[in-house]
């Protein structure tokens, strides 16, 4: 692992950026090239999906063309929060030393709480965490604020019931892509709506969109057919925020890059250099540090958006660091 200094216009830069994946950059680049070469055989996520395409994408695991594996160790549960019900996917290992509230990715349109049972069960056992994944409502049927309302309620329920349900008040939160966005916006709602600022010990944010009006890297990435590009991001934002202008999307409730980050927990932020959301993580880490809150930033050489979904050496390395962070923080 090497460390490089960077500078950008969002505020003071973190002292160090951990740059990883340089030792396997050739493998990562070759995977990206093969992924691009197969673009024509995949659904075009740059256009609004019709009902058939939407159903197919939701049926299969994110980044793949087969359904996810549902484990017997996981179970579904509905919880009630102030008169509203939220669906959770729950995995509890034999030893529990904390609880991780997880928000899945999928551009607010795809994915599900049962889409990563195998990965979340590995995390639960490795980090000794009960893992709760939120099965939030999806756009375009349920645009903003439905997903955020569900995630806020799940976080609020956990702050009230963790000790009784799981025997611990050591709470962690995080997610990937849209799930990273929902994790951070849920923390901001806990602070601003419920005056809760210290319930969660840490947040893990993996390649999230934090400026829904689009950072420079989002706008300039272009049409390169990796898992996400400029056009597919615009499509996701239009489904999640129909009829919202770019100026309106800068509202701090929607775009946490513009929010006051005081009172946030320690964070670990991860993004790849071939991700259109690169600036979102770089800028957010700078703002986190400017708020005098501990933050770790990892930039993965050559990695595209969603790289942790695929069998790569950089994936193995990152998931190991992810689990270590959540087990030790």
């Amino acid at each position: 692992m090497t460390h490089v200094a960077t500078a950008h216009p969002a505020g003071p830069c973190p002292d160090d950026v951990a740059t990883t994946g340089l030792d396997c950059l050739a493998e990562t680049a070759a995977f990206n090239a093969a992924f691009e070469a197969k673009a024509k055989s995949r659904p075009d996520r740059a256009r609004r999906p019709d009902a058939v395409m939407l159903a197919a994408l939701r049926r299969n695991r994110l980044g793949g063309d087969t359904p996810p594996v549902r484990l017997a160790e996981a179970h579904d549960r509905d919880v009630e929060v102030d008169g509203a019900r939220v669906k959770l996917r729950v995995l509890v290992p034999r030893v529990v030393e904390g609880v991780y509230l997880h928000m899945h990715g999928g551009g607010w349109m795809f994915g599900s709480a049962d889409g990563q049972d195998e990965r979340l069960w590995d995390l639960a056992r490795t980090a000794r965490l009960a893992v709760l994944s939120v099965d939030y409502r999806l756009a375009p049927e349920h645009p903003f604020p439905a997903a955020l309302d569900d995630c806020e309620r799940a976080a609020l329920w956990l702050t009230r019931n963790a000790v009784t349900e799981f025997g611990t008040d050591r709470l962690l939160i995080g997610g990937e892509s849209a799930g990273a966005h929902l994790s951070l916006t849920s923390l901001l709602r806990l602070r601003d709506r419920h005056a809760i600022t210290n319930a969660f010990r840490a947040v893990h944010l993996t390649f999230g969109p934090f400026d829904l009006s689009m950072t420079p890297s989002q706008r300039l990435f272009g049409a390169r057919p990796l898992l996400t590009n400029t056009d597919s991001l615009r499509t996701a934002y239009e489904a999640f925020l129909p009829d919202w202008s770019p100026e309106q999307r800068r509202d701090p409730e929607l775009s946490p890059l513009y929010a006051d980050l005081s009172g946030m927990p320690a964070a670990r932020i991860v993004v790849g250099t071939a991700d259109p959301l690169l600036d979102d993580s770089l800028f957010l880490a700078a703002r986190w540090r400017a708020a005098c809150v501990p933050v770790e930033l990892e930039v993965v050489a050559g990695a595209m958006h969603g790289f942790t979904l695929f069998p790569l050496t950089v994936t193995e390395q990152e998931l190991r660091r992810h689990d270590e962070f959540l087990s030790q923080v």
Side-chain angles (χ1 to χ4, degrees):
M1 180 185 300
T2 62
H3 291 80
V4 297
T6 63
H8 41 75
C13 181
D15 295 334
D16 296 297
V17 179
T19 305
T20 63
L22 292 170
D23 56 330
C24 45
L25 182 56
E27 178 198 61
T28 306
F31 178 85
N32 292 353
F35 192 92
E36 291 184 75
K38 296 178 181 177
K40 291 184 179 180
S41 66
R42 297 192 303 271
D44 182 7
R45 292 178 58 179
R47 64 180 179 87
R48 186 74 168 263
D50 58 25
V52 174
M53 177 180 169
L54 193 63
L57 288 168
R58 289 178 177 174
R59 182 172 58 249
N60 294 332
R61 66 178 183 84
L62 289 174
D65 54 7
T66 58
V69 176
R70 286 175 56 93
L71 296 183
E73 290 83 356
H75 67 275
D76 299 318
R77 178 174 178 181
D78 287 0
V79 299
E80 185 170 327
V81 186
D82 298 338
R85 302 196 71 81
V86 182
K87 297 180 179 180
L88 302 174
R89 185 76 167 163
V90 182
L91 303 99
V92 183
R94 184 177 60 83
V95 178
V96 174
E97 297 178 358
V99 185
Y100 178 54
L101 184 63
H102 172 257
M103 281 68 159
H104 68 80
W108 306 278
M109 287 193 290
F110 316 113
S112 61
D114 64 356
Q116 297 183 62
D117 276 6
E118 294 172 302
R119 163 63 192 142
L120 295 180
W121 183 233
D122 285 343
L123 168 64
R125 291 177 296 172
T126 299
R128 301 174 299 281
L129 298 171
V131 178
L132 282 61
S133 192
V134 186
D135 204 17
Y136 56 84
R137 289 169 290 171
L138 300 174
E141 301 94 325
H142 303 284
F144 174 84
L148 180 49
D149 286 347
D150 291 345
C151 293
E152 174 197 358
R153 289 169 183 145
L156 189 59
W157 179 85
L158 188 58
T159 65
R160 295 171 177 174
N161 296 279
V163 174
T164 301
E165 295 278 346
F166 304 104
T168 179
D169 62 357
R170 179 174 170 263
L171 307 183
L172 311 165
I173 188 171
E176 310 82 35
S177 194
H181 170 269
L182 293 168
S183 299
L184 179 48
T185 50
S186 294
L187 287 174
L188 291 168
R189 279 195 175 190
L190 286 185
R191 182 195 67 190
D192 297 339
R193 295 186 174 193
H194 308 284
I196 298 174
T197 58
N198 58 359
F200 286 87
R201 182 174 299 194
V203 58
H204 197 287
L205 305 171
T206 307
F207 40 72
F210 305 116
D211 179 357
L212 276 55
S213 71
M214 305 189 78
T215 54
S217 64
Q218 292 190 49
R219 296 194 304 270
L220 298 173
F221 190 82
R224 188 180 180 190
L226 294 177
L227 191 66
T228 297
N229 58 31
T230 298
D231 291 336
S232 64
L233 285 168
R234 287 199 176 106
T235 298
Y237 296 153
E238 289 166 3
F240 184 52
L241 301 166
D243 303 320
W244 289 65
S245 70
E247 292 75 18
Q248 290 173 318
R249 293 175 189 174
R250 294 191 186 100
D251 185 321
E253 184 180 17
L254 295 171
S255 293
L257 185 60
Y258 299 97
D260 171 14
L261 298 178
S262 61
M264 291 297 99
R268 184 169 186 266
I269 301 172
V270 178
V271 71
T273 61
D275 191 327
L277 297 170
L278 176 61
D279 281 351
D280 294 62
S281 288
L282 297 179
F283 295 176
L284 185 70
R287 296 223 51 238
W288 216 278
R289 183 65 61 90
C292 299
V293 183
V295 59
E296 299 178 14
L297 172 62
E298 178 182 338
V299 178
V300 185
M304 70 174 177
H305 187 77
F307 73 92
T308 56
L309 296 168
F310 302 103
L312 294 163
T313 303
V314 289
T315 298
E316 296 176 5
Q317 294 173 346
E318 166 48 31
L319 294 182
R320 183 169 60 251
R321 286 187 287 268
H322 173 281
D323 294 1
E324 289 174 352
F325 174 80
L326 292 178
S327 66
Q328 296 171 8
V329 70

